Amino acid sequence: MSDDENAANGMGAQRLSGACHCGAVHYSVRLDLTRTIACNCSICSSKGLILAFAPETDFVLEAGEAKLREYRFNRHLISHMFCADCGVETFARATAPNGTPTVAVNVRTLAGVDPAALAPIAHDGRAS
């Protein structure tokens, strides 16, 4: 089944586009939105992030690299990337437990995706 057929059926990975609020940073990514999380760590909860994960090989930063700023906190394992103009965090980079370079996408920055239609799993990031 193609990505378009999966999207039509509401299942599996699909190619999506996203951007920050001002549009300076935009990207495309192949994601499975049936697997999202709502983390309760201090940064995710304060920003209201809903996250979906993809291997870095499925993520393409299409514009705005010069506008990106990085923020790391706690153990400095996650590189939170936000637009220097509008302040929106579009994605973060990290390494998955299996060693794969991974991108955590802020689902709220994806075009045409209704976050209210998702069922994110609660993740206890405060305990990490």
Side-chain angles (χ1 to χ4, degrees), residues 82-96:
F82 64 94
C83 175
D85 289 344
C86 67
V88 170
E89 180 175 337
T90 48
F91 65 94
R93 290 189 172 112
T95 302

Side-chain angles (χ1 to χ4, degrees), residues 2-4 6-17 29-34 58 113:
S2 71
D3 283 353
D4 290 337
N6 282 337
N9 292 324
M11 57 188 236
Q14 53 190 295
R15 178 65 57 182
L16 299 162
S17 296
V29 64
R30 183 174 152 80
L31 284 174
D32 180 354
L33 292 178
T34 63
D58 287 346
V113 173

Side-chain angles (χ1 to χ4, degrees), residues 40-64:
N40 70 353
C41 79
S42 59
I43 195 162
C44 290
S45 60
S46 68
K47 292 184 172 201
L49 299 180
I50 298 173
L51 302 170
F53 299 87
E56 193 165 333
T57 55
D58 287 346
F59 179 86
V60 177
L61 180 61
E62 295 176 343

Side-chain angles (χ1 to χ4, degrees), residues 22 28 34 36 57 59 96 110 123 126-127:
C22 71
S28 66
T34 63
T36 59
T57 55
F59 179 86
L110 292 169
H123 174 71
R126 289 183 184 183

